Protein backbone atom coordinates (compact mmCIF):
# COMPACT_ATOMS: atom_id res chain seq x y z
CA UNK A 1 0.00 0.00 0.00
CA UNK A 2 1.44 3.33 -1.06
CA UNK A 3 0.91 6.43 1.02
CA UNK A 4 -0.62 8.81 -1.49
CA UNK A 5 0.21 12.51 -1.43
CA UNK A 6 -3.37 13.70 -1.31
CA UNK A 7 -4.81 16.96 -0.04
CA UNK A 8 -6.20 15.15 3.02
CA UNK A 9 -2.82 15.42 4.65
CA UNK A 10 -0.05 14.42 2.29
CA UNK A 11 1.67 16.74 -0.14
CA UNK A 12 4.86 18.77 -0.27
CA UNK A 13 5.90 20.03 3.15
CA UNK A 14 7.25 23.47 3.93
CA UNK A 15 9.24 22.14 6.87
CA UNK A 16 12.95 22.16 6.12
CA UNK A 17 14.22 21.45 9.62
CA UNK A 18 13.40 17.74 9.42
CA UNK A 19 15.15 15.91 6.59
CA UNK A 20 15.27 12.21 5.76
CA UNK A 21 18.03 11.06 3.42
CA UNK A 22 18.03 7.73 1.62
CA UNK A 23 21.68 7.84 0.69
CA UNK A 24 24.35 7.39 3.30
CA UNK A 25 26.85 9.55 1.45
CA UNK A 26 24.59 12.52 0.85
CA UNK A 27 24.77 15.73 2.86
CA UNK A 28 21.45 16.62 4.55
CA UNK A 29 20.80 20.31 5.02
CA UNK A 30 21.13 21.59 8.54
CA UNK A 31 17.90 21.95 10.52
CA UNK A 32 17.75 24.49 13.34
CA UNK A 33 17.68 22.83 16.71
CA UNK A 34 19.37 23.50 20.01
CA UNK A 35 20.08 21.71 23.24
CA UNK A 36 17.26 21.21 25.71
CA UNK A 37 18.87 22.96 28.68
CA UNK A 38 19.88 26.03 26.67
CA UNK A 39 16.24 26.33 25.58
CA UNK A 40 16.92 27.53 22.05
CA UNK A 41 14.55 27.93 19.10
CA UNK A 42 13.91 24.79 17.06
CA UNK A 43 12.62 26.36 13.87
CA UNK A 44 12.36 30.16 13.73
CA UNK A 45 15.59 31.28 15.34
CA UNK A 46 16.26 35.00 15.67
CA UNK A 47 19.68 36.09 16.91
CA UNK A 48 19.69 39.82 17.70
CA UNK A 49 22.90 41.78 17.97
CA UNK A 50 22.38 45.01 19.89
CA UNK A 51 24.80 47.89 19.57
CA UNK A 52 23.84 49.58 22.83
CA UNK A 53 24.47 47.86 26.15
CA UNK A 54 21.47 46.16 27.64
CA UNK A 55 21.65 44.83 31.17
CA UNK A 56 18.89 42.25 30.85
CA UNK A 57 20.17 41.15 27.45
CA UNK A 58 23.73 40.80 28.76
CA UNK A 59 22.54 38.74 31.70
CA UNK A 60 20.54 36.53 29.38
CA UNK A 61 23.49 36.10 27.03
CA UNK A 62 25.78 35.23 29.93
CA UNK A 63 23.24 32.72 31.21
CA UNK A 64 22.99 31.15 27.76
CA UNK A 65 26.76 30.85 27.45
CA UNK A 66 27.03 29.38 30.93
CA UNK A 67 24.23 26.92 30.18
CA UNK A 68 25.96 25.89 26.97
CA UNK A 69 29.12 25.04 28.85
CA UNK A 70 27.25 23.13 31.53
CA UNK A 71 25.26 21.25 28.91
CA UNK A 72 28.37 20.18 27.04
CA UNK A 73 30.02 19.06 30.28
CA UNK A 74 26.93 17.13 31.36
CA UNK A 75 26.75 15.33 28.00
CA UNK A 76 30.36 14.28 28.27
CA UNK A 77 30.03 13.28 31.91
CA UNK A 78 29.35 9.66 32.64
CA UNK A 79 26.68 10.50 35.17
CA UNK A 80 24.35 12.26 32.71
CA UNK A 81 22.72 9.09 31.43
CA UNK A 82 19.37 10.71 30.86
CA UNK A 83 20.92 12.95 28.20
CA UNK A 84 22.70 10.09 26.45
CA UNK A 85 21.23 7.65 23.94
CA UNK A 86 21.12 4.01 24.98
CA UNK A 87 23.85 2.03 23.21
CA UNK A 88 24.12 -1.76 23.24
CA UNK A 89 27.31 -3.84 23.32
CA UNK A 90 27.67 -3.59 19.55
CA UNK A 91 27.71 0.19 19.76
CA UNK A 92 24.26 0.75 18.26
CA UNK A 93 21.08 2.43 19.47
CA UNK A 94 18.83 0.04 21.39
CA UNK A 95 16.18 2.29 22.99
CA UNK A 96 12.52 2.32 21.85
CA UNK A 97 12.79 6.11 21.51
CA UNK A 98 15.29 5.64 18.68
CA UNK A 99 12.98 3.15 16.93
CA UNK A 100 10.03 5.55 17.09
CA UNK A 101 12.16 8.38 15.76
CA UNK A 102 13.39 6.13 12.95
CA UNK A 103 9.85 5.07 12.07
CA UNK A 104 8.77 8.71 12.01
CA UNK A 105 11.60 9.52 9.61
CA UNK A 106 10.49 6.78 7.24
CA UNK A 107 6.79 7.72 7.36
CA UNK A 108 7.59 11.38 6.78
CA UNK A 109 9.78 10.55 3.77
CA UNK A 110 7.15 8.15 2.41
CA UNK A 111 4.53 10.90 2.63
CA UNK A 112 6.71 13.30 0.68
CA UNK A 113 7.50 10.69 -1.98
CA UNK A 114 4.07 9.08 -2.10
CA UNK A 115 5.65 5.68 -1.54
CA UNK A 116 5.07 2.70 0.72
CA UNK A 117 6.76 3.18 4.14
CA UNK A 118 7.68 -0.49 4.51
CA UNK A 119 9.28 -0.70 1.08
CA UNK A 120 11.11 2.56 1.71
CA UNK A 121 12.40 1.21 5.01
CA UNK A 122 13.60 -2.04 3.44
CA UNK A 123 15.15 -0.21 0.50
CA UNK A 124 17.23 1.92 2.81
CA UNK A 125 18.00 -1.04 5.07
CA UNK A 126 19.35 -3.12 2.19
CA UNK A 127 21.03 -0.36 0.19
CA UNK A 128 24.71 -0.84 -0.52
CA UNK A 129 27.23 1.47 1.03
CA UNK A 130 29.15 3.60 -1.38
CA UNK A 131 32.87 2.85 -1.74
CA UNK A 132 34.96 4.63 0.84
CA UNK A 133 32.03 5.44 3.15
CA UNK A 134 32.91 5.32 6.84
CA UNK A 135 30.60 5.96 9.76
CA UNK A 136 31.96 7.52 12.92
CA UNK A 137 30.29 5.59 15.74
CA UNK A 138 31.41 8.17 18.27
CA UNK A 139 28.66 10.42 16.92
CA UNK A 140 26.11 8.05 18.46
CA UNK A 141 27.41 8.93 21.90
CA UNK A 142 26.91 12.63 21.22
CA UNK A 143 23.49 12.27 19.59
CA UNK A 144 20.77 13.47 21.91
CA UNK A 145 17.22 12.09 21.52
CA UNK A 146 16.03 14.57 24.15
CA UNK A 147 17.17 17.76 22.43
CA UNK A 148 14.12 20.02 22.39
CA UNK A 149 13.53 23.51 21.05
CA UNK A 150 12.38 26.69 22.73
CA UNK A 151 11.77 30.42 22.24
CA UNK A 152 14.17 32.69 20.29
CA UNK A 153 17.38 33.76 22.00
CA UNK A 154 18.73 37.32 22.04
CA UNK A 155 22.46 37.96 22.35
CA UNK A 156 24.43 41.09 23.17
CA UNK A 157 27.56 40.70 21.04
CA UNK A 158 28.63 39.17 17.75
CA UNK A 159 30.85 36.73 19.64
CA UNK A 160 27.95 35.41 21.67
CA UNK A 161 25.81 34.99 18.56
CA UNK A 162 28.64 33.20 16.77
CA UNK A 163 29.05 30.85 19.74
CA UNK A 164 25.37 29.93 19.63
CA UNK A 165 25.48 29.38 15.89
CA UNK A 166 28.64 27.29 16.20
CA UNK A 167 27.00 25.09 18.80
CA UNK A 168 23.95 24.73 16.58
CA UNK A 169 26.08 23.74 13.59
CA UNK A 170 27.96 21.13 15.62
CA UNK A 171 24.75 19.52 16.83
CA UNK A 172 23.23 19.64 13.33
CA UNK A 173 26.33 17.97 11.89
CA UNK A 174 26.05 15.14 14.42
CA UNK A 175 22.36 14.66 13.64
CA UNK A 176 23.03 14.70 9.91
CA UNK A 177 25.74 12.07 10.33
CA UNK A 178 23.53 9.77 12.40
CA UNK A 179 20.22 10.15 10.55
CA UNK A 180 21.75 9.72 7.10
CA UNK A 181 23.91 6.73 8.02
CA UNK A 182 22.97 3.15 6.97
CA UNK A 183 20.43 1.92 9.56
CA UNK A 184 22.33 -1.29 10.24
CA UNK A 185 25.24 0.78 11.55
CA UNK A 186 23.05 2.91 13.80
CA UNK A 187 20.27 0.68 15.18
CA UNK A 188 20.42 -2.75 16.79
CA UNK A 189 18.72 -5.72 15.10
CA UNK A 190 16.03 -5.77 17.77
CA UNK A 191 15.36 -2.08 17.22
CA UNK A 192 15.13 -2.48 13.45
CA UNK A 193 12.56 -5.25 13.92
CA UNK A 194 10.56 -2.99 16.24
CA UNK A 195 10.77 -0.15 13.70
CA UNK A 196 9.40 -2.42 10.98
CA UNK A 197 6.64 -3.58 13.32
CA UNK A 198 5.62 0.03 13.86
CA UNK A 199 5.61 0.70 10.11
CA UNK A 200 3.48 -2.37 9.40
CA UNK A 201 1.01 -1.18 12.04
CA UNK A 202 0.89 2.30 10.49
CA UNK A 203 0.22 0.97 7.00
CA UNK A 204 -2.39 -1.47 8.31
CA UNK A 205 -4.36 1.25 10.12
CA UNK A 206 -3.65 4.17 7.80
CA UNK A 207 -7.06 4.52 6.14
CA UNK A 208 -8.98 4.03 9.39
CA UNK A 209 -6.83 6.52 11.27
CA UNK A 210 -7.12 9.17 8.52
CA UNK A 211 -10.84 9.48 9.33
CA UNK A 212 -10.19 9.51 13.08
CA UNK A 213 -7.46 12.13 12.80
CA UNK A 214 -9.76 14.30 10.69
CA UNK A 215 -12.19 14.38 13.62
CA UNK A 216 -9.72 15.21 16.40
CA UNK A 217 -7.26 17.69 14.86
CA UNK A 218 -7.97 21.45 14.98
CA UNK A 219 -9.47 23.13 11.88
CA UNK A 220 -6.27 25.03 11.10
CA UNK A 221 -4.43 21.74 10.60
CA UNK A 222 -7.11 20.62 8.16
CA UNK A 223 -6.74 23.88 6.23
CA UNK A 224 -2.95 23.49 6.00
CA UNK A 225 -2.29 19.75 5.56
CA UNK A 226 0.84 20.31 3.47
CA UNK A 227 2.52 22.10 6.36
CA UNK A 228 1.45 19.55 8.96
CA UNK A 229 2.68 16.29 7.46
CA UNK A 230 5.15 15.81 10.29
CA UNK A 231 2.57 16.37 13.03
CA UNK A 232 0.05 14.09 11.31
CA UNK A 233 2.73 11.43 10.90
CA UNK A 234 3.33 11.52 14.66
CA UNK A 235 -0.40 10.97 15.22
CA UNK A 236 -0.43 8.01 12.82
CA UNK A 237 2.60 6.53 14.56
CA UNK A 238 1.15 6.90 18.06
CA UNK A 239 -2.36 5.70 17.22
CA UNK A 240 -1.01 2.63 15.42
CA UNK A 241 1.29 1.71 18.29
CA UNK A 242 -1.61 1.92 20.73
CA UNK A 243 -4.12 -0.06 18.67
CA UNK A 244 -1.88 -2.63 16.94
CA UNK A 245 1.33 -3.00 18.91
CA UNK A 246 -0.48 -2.70 22.23
CA UNK A 247 1.91 -0.37 24.03
CA UNK A 248 0.34 1.37 27.02
CA UNK A 249 -1.19 4.63 25.89
CA UNK A 250 0.50 6.63 28.66
CA UNK A 251 3.92 5.68 27.28
CA UNK A 252 2.93 6.28 23.66
CA UNK A 253 1.44 9.71 24.34
CA UNK A 254 4.53 10.84 26.25
CA UNK A 255 6.77 9.63 23.42
CA UNK A 256 4.61 11.35 20.79
CA UNK A 257 4.70 14.64 22.71
CA UNK A 258 8.49 14.39 23.01
CA UNK A 259 8.80 13.78 19.26
CA UNK A 260 6.64 16.85 18.66
CA UNK A 261 8.78 18.93 21.02
CA UNK A 262 11.88 17.74 19.21
CA UNK A 263 10.84 18.17 15.60
CA UNK A 264 7.75 20.41 15.48
CA UNK A 265 7.10 24.01 16.33
CA UNK A 266 4.56 26.15 18.14
CA UNK A 267 1.69 24.46 19.91
CA UNK A 268 2.13 21.11 18.15
CA UNK A 269 3.13 19.15 21.31
CA UNK A 270 0.06 20.41 23.20
CA UNK A 271 -2.26 19.74 20.26
CA UNK A 272 -0.88 16.24 19.70
CA UNK A 273 -1.28 15.50 23.40
CA UNK A 274 -4.93 16.56 23.29
CA UNK A 275 -5.66 14.67 20.08
CA UNK A 276 -4.22 11.42 21.42
CA UNK A 277 -6.02 11.70 24.75
CA UNK A 278 -9.30 12.22 22.90
CA UNK A 279 -8.47 9.22 20.71
CA UNK A 280 -7.80 7.03 23.76
CA UNK A 281 -11.01 8.14 25.50
CA UNK A 282 -13.05 7.30 22.41
CA UNK A 283 -11.23 4.00 22.08
CA UNK A 284 -11.97 3.07 25.69
CA UNK A 285 -15.58 4.19 25.32
CA UNK A 286 -16.04 1.97 22.27
CA UNK A 287 -14.47 -0.97 24.06
CA UNK A 288 -16.75 -0.52 27.09
CA UNK A 289 -19.83 -0.29 24.85
CA UNK A 290 -18.92 -3.47 23.01
CA UNK A 291 -18.23 -5.28 26.28
CA UNK A 292 -21.60 -4.16 27.64
CA UNK A 293 -23.40 -5.42 24.53
CA UNK A 294 -21.59 -8.72 24.68
CA UNK A 295 -22.54 -9.25 28.31
CA UNK A 296 -26.21 -8.61 27.50
CA UNK A 297 -26.18 -11.10 24.65
CA UNK A 298 -24.83 -13.92 26.81
CA UNK A 299 -27.83 -16.00 28.04
CA UNK A 300 -28.07 -16.37 31.78
CA UNK A 301 -27.86 -19.89 33.21
CA UNK A 302 -31.03 -21.33 34.72
Amino acid sequence: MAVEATSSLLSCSSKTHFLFNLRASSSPSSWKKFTQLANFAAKNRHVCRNERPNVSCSAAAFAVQETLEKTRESIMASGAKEMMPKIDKSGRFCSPRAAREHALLVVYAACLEGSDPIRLFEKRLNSRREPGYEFDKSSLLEYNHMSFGGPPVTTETVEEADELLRSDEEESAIEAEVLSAPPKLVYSKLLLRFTRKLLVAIVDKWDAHVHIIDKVVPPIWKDQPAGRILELSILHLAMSEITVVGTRHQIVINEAVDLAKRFCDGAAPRVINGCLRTFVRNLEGTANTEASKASKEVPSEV
Side-chain angles (χ1 to χ4, degrees):
M1 169 187 157
V3 179
E4 298 180 358
T6 62
S7 59
S8 60
L9 53 91
L10 307 177
S11 60
C12 279
S13 173
S14 60
K15 294 181 182 301
T16 58
H17 65 293
F18 189 96
L19 181 62
F20 177 67
N21 228 312
L22 293 178
R23 291 177 44 188
S25 61
S26 52
S27 301
S29 61
S30 172
W31 47 84
K32 298 296 181 182
K33 291 208 301 83
F34 300 87
T35 56
Q36 178 187 12
L37 294 181
N39 202 28
F40 298 142
K43 182 180 177 185
N44 299 318
R45 178 174 185 144
H46 305 283
V47 179
C48 304
R49 298 169 179 173
N50 299 331
E51 296 180 358
R52 292 183 298 175
N54 186 301
V55 177
S56 60
C57 190
S58 299
F62 177 77
V64 167
Q65 185 175 4
E66 185 179 36
T67 305
L68 265 176
E69 295 174 355
K70 291 182 179 179
T71 302
R72 186 173 296 279
E73 291 175 0
S74 65
I75 291 177
M76 298 303 295
S78 59
K81 295 183 179 179
E82 67 278 5
M83 294 294 292
M84 303 290 287
K86 294 182 179 179
I87 307 296
D88 64 6
K89 294 181 180 179
S90 67
R92 294 172 174 83
F93 288 149
C94 62
S95 66
R97 167 65 62 85
R100 294 183 180 98
E101 184 177 284
H102 189 197
L104 179 61
L105 285 164
V106 176
V107 173
Y108 181 73
C111 289
L112 296 181
E113 295 183 5
S115 60
D116 183 278
I118 301 174
R119 290 183 181 179
L120 188 60
F121 170 73
E122 293 176 346
K123 176 182 178 182
R124 187 167 186 252
L125 193 65
N126 300 319
S127 61
R128 294 183 179 180
R129 304 175 202 168
E130 295 193 3
Y133 174 78
E134 293 183 2
F135 175 62
D136 184 9
K137 282 195 172 183
S138 63
S139 59
L140 297 179
L141 295 173
E142 301 179 52
Y143 186 85
N144 183 11
H145 292 291
M146 297 295 290
S147 176
F148 301 148
V153 173
T154 301
T155 62
E156 174 65 21
T157 66
V158 174
E159 290 76 14
E160 291 166 352
D162 289 342
E163 172 63 19
L164 293 177
L165 293 175
R166 183 188 64 80
S167 176
D168 178 30
E169 290 172 356
E170 288 180 358
E171 185 175 348
S172 295
I174 293 171
E175 292 181 345
E177 175 74 13
V178 172
L179 297 180
S180 64
K184 290 182 179 179
L185 297 180
V186 178
Y187 307 95
S188 67
K189 292 182 179 180
L190 182 63
L191 215 60
L192 290 173
R193 287 197 293 268
F194 182 51
T195 301
R196 193 181 190 283
K197 188 175 183 180
L198 290 172
L199 294 174
V200 170
I202 291 170
V203 171
D204 181 52
K205 289 290 187 179
W206 186 272
D207 293 338
H209 286 162
V210 164
H211 297 293
I212 296 174
I213 290 173
D214 186 62
K215 295 178 181 178
V216 298
V217 297
I220 191 173
W221 284 22
K222 299 178 186 179
D223 298 336
Q224 302 174 350
R228 295 296 178 180
I229 296 178
L230 186 53
E231 289 86 343
L232 298 171
S233 296
I234 293 176
L235 288 175
H236 274 284
L237 173 62
M239 290 178 178
S240 300
E241 184 173 358
I242 291 172
T243 56
V244 180
V245 180
T247 308
R248 286 192 300 141
H249 69 266
Q250 296 92 336
I251 295 175
V252 176
I253 292 176
N254 287 339
E255 291 289 302
V257 170
D258 282 348
L259 286 173
K261 288 179 180 178
R262 178 158 166 72
F263 296 116
C264 304
D265 62 323
R270 178 177 55 81
V271 174
I272 286 176
N273 179 64
C275 290
L276 290 177
R277 293 193 180 280
T278 300
F279 169 71
V280 170
R281 282 197 300 270
N282 294 339
L283 203 63
E284 292 174 345
T286 302
N288 292 335
T289 302
E290 292 178 353
S292 178
K293 289 181 179 180
S295 62
K296 291 179 180 179
E297 292 176 359
V298 175
S300 58
E301 296 182 0
V302 179

